[in-house]
Amino acid sequence: MPTPDKAAAVAELTDKFRSSNAAVLTEYRGLTVAQLKQLRRSLGANSEYAVVKNTLTKIAANEAGINTLDDLFTGPTAVAFVTGDPVESAKGLRDFAKENPNLVIKGGVLDGKALSADEIKKLADLESREVLLAKLAGAMKGKQSQAAALFQALPSKFVRTAEALRAKKAEQGGAE
């Protein structure tokens, strides 16, 4: 029979899994409290980093419909719940892990799809959503200006061709 505290903890974790875009499981063995505080800051405002109990978190993940993480709940585990841009949080975790080898990224889930540690590192290599949107907008603007130049060139070319034809006819008419 679960205690009310454990049931409340499972309910809270289930809610976090359901409301998050992504969740990344890490092992934090050997990190100090100061380092964990620094890690929380490096993840950004759209992430929450929580040290969790494996059994309760596994139950919560299963209740949220996430069954792919069961093998990762071993050893001291902490979860980064991401509600915003997952790329920003993945970069924060990757960069912190480079400086602090005690932080080990185990894996995670993004929009219901399981991610390995390598896939999370690849996600961290992506540019942010804002940068990608800006590049897309720039490419679209460039294509529009190319299309406008093409459409403008067609009537201009037609006018030059018609003028050359008129001049040639006038020259032939004057020679006869």
Side-chain angles (χ1 to χ4, degrees):
M1 186 90 181
T3 65
D5 290 342
K6 288 182 180 179
V10 168
E12 182 182 348
L13 287 168
T14 302
D15 189 43
K16 286 182 182 179
F17 274 112
R18 286 184 179 145
S19 63
S20 302
N21 298 346
V24 180
L25 275 66
T26 63
E27 184 175 317
Y28 64 93
R29 186 180 318 209
L31 293 177
T32 66
V33 173
Q35 288 172 321
L36 287 174
K37 189 175 182 181
Q38 180 186 357
L39 172 59
R40 285 184 174 100
R41 272 192 242 116
S42 70
L43 290 177
N46 297 328
S47 299
E48 181 182 340
Y49 190 75
V51 174
V52 295
K53 292 190 178 278
N54 287 332
T55 307
L56 299 179
T57 309
K58 186 176 180 180
I59 293 168
N62 288 331
E63 284 183 11
I66 301 168
N67 303 324
T68 56
L69 301 177
D70 290 352
D71 297 340
L72 302 178
F73 292 112
T74 57
T77 303
V79 182
F81 294 102
V82 183
T83 54
D85 185 12
V87 174
E88 178 185 352
S89 298
K91 283 182 187 200
L93 284 168
R94 178 200 59 196
D95 294 345
F96 189 86
K98 281 182 185 176
E99 296 172 15
N100 302 284
N102 288 336
L103 180 74
V104 177
I105 299 171
K106 295 180 179 183
V109 63
L110 174 64
D111 294 328
K113 181 188 176 289
L115 297 176
S116 68
D118 290 334
E119 290 173 321
I120 292 170
K121 290 173 184 167
K122 287 179 186 175
L123 182 66
D125 292 336
L126 290 176
E127 294 175 333
S128 71
R129 183 176 188 272
E130 290 78 20
V131 171
L132 291 174
L133 288 174
K135 285 185 174 183
L136 178 64
M140 289 174 67
K141 183 179 177 186
K143 294 295 180 189
Q144 287 176 341
S145 59
Q146 286 176 347
L150 177 67
F151 293 139
Q152 203 171 24
L154 288 174
S156 173
K157 188 173 182 180
F158 175 74
V159 168
R160 284 194 308 270
T161 304
E163 181 61 30
L165 186 60
R166 187 194 61 75
K168 187 174 181 181
K169 279 191 176 188
E171 195 179 285
Q172 286 177 351
E176 289 181 27

